Amino acid sequence: MASPIEHEDSCQQEEDEEEEEEAAAAEPKAPKIRDTPEDIKLEAIVNTIAFHPNQDILAAGDIDGDIYLFSYSCTEGENKELWSSGHHLKSCRKVLFSSDGQKLFSVSKDKAVHIMDVEAGKLLTRIPKAHKVPINALLLVDENIFATGDDEGMLKVWDLRSGTSFMDLKHHEDYISEITIDQAKRTLLTSSGDGTMGVFNIKRRRFELLSEFQNGDLTSVCIMKRGRKVICGSSEGKLYIFNWNGFGATSDRFAVQAESVDCIVPITDSILCAASIDGVIRAVSVLPNRVLGSVGQHVGESIEEIARSRDTRFLASCAHDQLVKFWDISSLTDMRVDDYRRRKKKDRRLKALSNKAFDTGQDFFAGLLDSTEENRKKQEEEEEEDSDSGSD
């Protein structure tokens, strides 16, 4: 039988333990830090997303014409909606931040261009009926100049100081899917649903040429390899490569074993990410041409757009599942691709390149360029010849 003193000690010990448990329960739990921000769920399908150039902020535009601004964080529960705008009457097709991050530009199916104040969430400028048909593409050239492309192939280049366009050129027979420009801000390139790439000189305000027709729609365009190569994605699941100043015909092409390539974003000078209708985001090396693996996926959902964060740490994607997802792409900036061509192996799956990406069940090396040894040597010679040339 326990003595009274032992009994008191036992009771005191139990009370102390209970107090410690209550104190621990009262203490706030340390916030969970994730590798990437949590998914953002919206009420409608998101067509377009853009990262802020200086802050952890992301803009999104949906099919209802609404625009949302979010702050994002790797701390769980810290993603916040900053404001939303419903000024567009129809689907928002593209959003882009100005280089200083103070303004947000948007274009829409309602044919209007809107410019919002990022901090206040207020509409600063509205250009109604900027085009006769819905606008699909947008590019900001500098603080005063921007370009728009519409569903019928019309390109317009605008000057905010006058509020009017100074170039109105229609050389495409179908929608303009994307617009880009070289570092010298001289040569503007367009990709189009008519299967051609357009070349325009905005310094001289004139049309230069159209490329030869490719199979399927050209869905996207970007400049890589220190301005020496232009890459176009296509609805046929191929990447078309043009030499700078050789815009008439492709110098190379290869299939990435996807149903389509709907959006491409350069990550480094040699690696891009390509989003597809099959819901998979692939990392792709350009020269040597190789599918490196999967960055992430929206399972069974067509991806509308992908965007790279300012520090190249995250890639964001939006799809028909009404989600904006974030993927860790930090490993891609240090990745080096060997020129050595490995043989295709059976049952080799697409390699997962981030923690949230998973095996797609596809051949890891399926994206290798199928070309002859002669073509490969020719490409290497072109690379050497172009090594000292610029994109101006």
Side-chain angles (χ1 to χ4, degrees):
M1 183 175 177
S3 68
I5 295 173
E6 289 175 342
H7 180 69
E8 287 175 6
D9 289 346
S10 176
C11 290
Q12 185 64 43
Q13 187 178 352
E14 288 177 3
E15 287 175 7
D16 291 344
E17 288 175 356
E18 286 177 4
E19 287 175 2
E20 287 175 5
E21 288 175 3
E22 288 174 2
E27 288 179 9
K29 291 183 179 179
K32 183 179 178 183
I33 306 299
R34 301 163 49 94
D35 290 336
T36 60
E38 294 175 275
D39 296 350
I40 297 173
K41 176 73 173 177
L42 286 97
E43 296 177 2
I45 293 172
V46 182
N47 285 329
T48 175
I49 48 177
F51 279 101
H52 192 281
N54 308 315
Q55 302 177 52
D56 291 342
I57 290 175
L58 179 128
D62 70 20
I63 60 169
D64 292 336
D66 296 324
I67 295 173
Y68 296 86
L69 203 71
F70 297 94
S71 62
Y72 61 88
S73 172
C74 287
T75 303
E76 201 162 88
E78 285 298 303
N79 288 350
K80 290 184 174 64
E81 182 183 318
L82 302 178
W83 54 256
S84 63
S85 162
H87 291 292
H88 280 301
L89 304 176
K90 295 181 180 179
S91 177
C92 180
R93 298 275 187 84
K94 187 74 176 178
V95 291
L96 283 176
F97 286 98
S98 59
S99 59
D100 59 11
Q102 295 180 10
K103 296 176 183 177
L104 181 68
F105 289 67
S106 61
V107 295
S108 168
K109 189 178 179 181
D110 66 9
K111 310 170 192 174
V113 177
H114 287 179
I115 305 173
M116 304 282 295
D117 180 286
V118 169
E119 188 173 352
K122 294 181 179 178
L123 184 64
L124 297 174
T125 304
R126 183 172 187 264
I127 306 175
K129 298 180 181 178
H131 285 246
K132 293 180 180 178
V133 299
I135 307 171
N136 193 60
L138 170 68
L139 173 76
L140 307 186
V141 177
D142 60 29
E143 65 273 14
N144 295 310
I145 308 298
F146 69 94
T148 53
D150 69 27
D151 281 0
E152 292 185 354
M154 170 70 79
L155 172 73
K156 291 191 176 188
V157 184
W158 303 78
D159 191 329
L160 281 174
R161 291 163 295 193
S162 64
T164 58
S165 60
F166 62 85
M167 284 176 68
D168 295 52
L169 299 171
K170 187 180 184 307
H171 293 274
H172 290 295
E173 297 301 318
D174 207 336
Y175 69 97
I176 293 175
S177 56
E178 193 169 11
I179 312 169
T180 193
I181 196 165
D182 67 334
Q183 200 168 4
K185 310 289 188 185
R186 181 182 301 167
T187 303
L188 188 147
L189 305 173
T190 54
S191 54
S192 172
D194 64 10
T196 66
M197 179 178 71
V199 184
F200 302 84
N201 188 318
I202 66 168
K203 296 289 186 186
R204 298 183 179 179
R205 304 186 179 189
R206 71 184 188 191
F207 165 72
E208 297 281 353
L209 73 141
L210 288 180
S211 74
E212 63 184 7
F213 288 92
Q214 312 301 330
N215 293 330
D217 301 7
L218 292 188
T219 58
S220 42
V221 59
C222 70
I223 301 169
M224 297 179 70
K225 293 290 184 178
R226 299 191 298 278
R228 292 182 284 110
K229 302 290 178 181
V230 178
I231 320 298
C232 289
S234 79
S235 60
E236 300 292 302
K238 291 181 180 178
L239 292 178
Y240 293 97
I241 304 173
F242 297 83
N243 289 326
W244 192 264
N245 291 331
F247 300 125
T250 58
S251 65
D252 217 337
R253 68 189 69 187
F254 76 106
V256 299
Q257 299 301 310
E259 292 180 53
S260 64
V261 176
D262 294 327
C263 183
I264 56 177
V265 171
I267 306 303
T268 71
D269 209 35
S270 301
I271 295 174
L272 60 80
C273 282
S276 172
I277 197 171
D278 63 11
V280 179
I281 304 166
R282 293 164 175 80
V284 181
S285 166
V286 175
L287 299 170
N289 299 329
R290 189 168 304 159
V291 176
L292 303 176
S294 168
V295 167
Q297 64 287 310
H298 292 253
V299 181
E301 300 287 350
S302 176
I303 297 175
E304 287 293 329
E305 190 166 27
I306 53 177
R308 184 194 68 195
S309 66
R310 68 186 188 280
D311 55 2
T312 317
R313 183 182 175 189
F314 302 124
L315 188 82
S317 58
C318 59
H320 288 190
D321 54 12
Q322 300 172 214
L323 292 175
V324 175
K325 294 188 175 188
F326 296 85
W327 312 98
D328 183 356
I329 58 168
S330 55
S331 64
L332 295 182
T333 56
D334 298 322
M335 188 172 287
R336 297 292 176 265
V337 182
D338 192 353
D339 285 336
Y340 173 68
R341 294 180 184 278
R342 306 173 193 174
R343 283 184 183 175
K344 294 181 182 180
K345 295 183 180 180
K346 292 181 179 179
D347 301 324
R348 193 73 181 266
R349 295 177 181 273
L350 194 63
K351 182 180 178 182
L353 298 177
S354 70
N355 291 337
K356 295 196 297 181
F358 55 73
D359 190 339
T360 63
Q362 295 188 14
D363 184 347
F364 180 15
F365 298 110
L368 292 180
L369 175 66
D370 293 324
S371 66
T372 64
E373 188 68 18
E374 185 180 343
N375 283 342
R376 185 177 71 83
K377 288 180 179 177
K378 181 181 177 183
Q379 191 65 57
E380 288 171 354
E381 287 169 5
E382 287 175 354
E383 286 283 284
E384 289 173 6
E385 289 173 4
D386 291 342
S387 61
D388 297 324
S389 65
S391 61
D392 52 4

